[in-house]
Amino acid sequence: MSRLAEFRKLEQTLAAQLAELEAMKGSSELKKEIEFEEKLRDLLNKYGFSLRDIINLLDPQSVRRAAPAAVEKAPRRARQVKQYKNPHNGEIIETKGGNHKLLKEWKAEYGADVVEGWLNK
């Protein structure tokens, strides 16, 4: 799509949305809702209440129904780097987990228990 065609399409969309906005501004229902919201906020400020207080006052069960706030988990502890030294050839590898290719080969060849004994502390 050319930039000009895209521009014209957006221009038409904007004009349609502006017309819809003007139609809503003249709506008596919208004016009533805006007036209600303004009066409600004034009352809340006058008596020192928040919207949450009003919800709890009108529907005390809503607190129990609401999804519990996300409990922050403690960050995972960083894995320690482990260093293995193969006594047969002197090779040293460093890994944070057991998914290391050479470590897997050693465990397949020599056995997992033996390779875990090669762990340098």
Side-chain angles (χ1 to χ4, degrees), residues 1-67:
M1 180 183 286
S2 73
R3 297 293 288 169
L4 181 60
E6 187 178 342
F7 174 79
R8 295 246 164 87
K9 182 180 175 190
L10 288 173
E11 197 173 45
Q12 288 174 346
T13 305
L14 178 61
Q17 288 179 341
L18 286 172
E20 188 178 343
L21 179 64
E22 288 302 318
M24 283 187 80
K25 281 183 183 177
S27 168
S28 63
E29 290 178 13
L30 178 64
K31 288 178 183 177
K32 287 166 78 175
E33 283 187 39
I34 291 172
E35 182 183 351
F36 175 76
E37 183 186 13
E38 288 173 356
K39 288 182 179 180
L40 179 61
R41 291 198 183 272
D42 289 341
L43 277 173
L44 291 174
N45 288 335
K46 180 179 177 182
Y47 291 101
F49 281 93
S50 69
L51 288 174
R52 175 78 49 214
D53 296 329
I54 299 303
I55 292 170
N56 290 337
L57 183 70
L58 296 175
D59 187 10
Q61 302 297 322
S62 69
V63 175
R64 292 188 200 118
R65 277 183 284 173

Side-chain angles (χ1 to χ4, degrees), residues 56-105:
N56 290 337
L57 183 70
L58 296 175
D59 187 10
Q61 302 297 322
S62 69
V63 175
R64 292 188 200 118
R65 277 183 284 173
V71 177
E72 291 198 30
K73 295 181 182 177
R76 287 181 64 176
R77 184 175 47 110
R79 293 192 211 169
Q80 298 297 317
V81 176
K82 294 180 180 179
Q83 189 178 48
Y84 296 87
K85 182 176 181 182
N86 186 332
H88 301 285
N89 58 14
E91 265 187 289
I92 297 174
I93 59 171
E94 292 181 349
T95 181
K96 287 187 174 185
N99 205 18
H100 192 278
K101 183 179 179 183
L102 187 56
L103 183 62
K104 283 184 176 182
E105 290 176 11

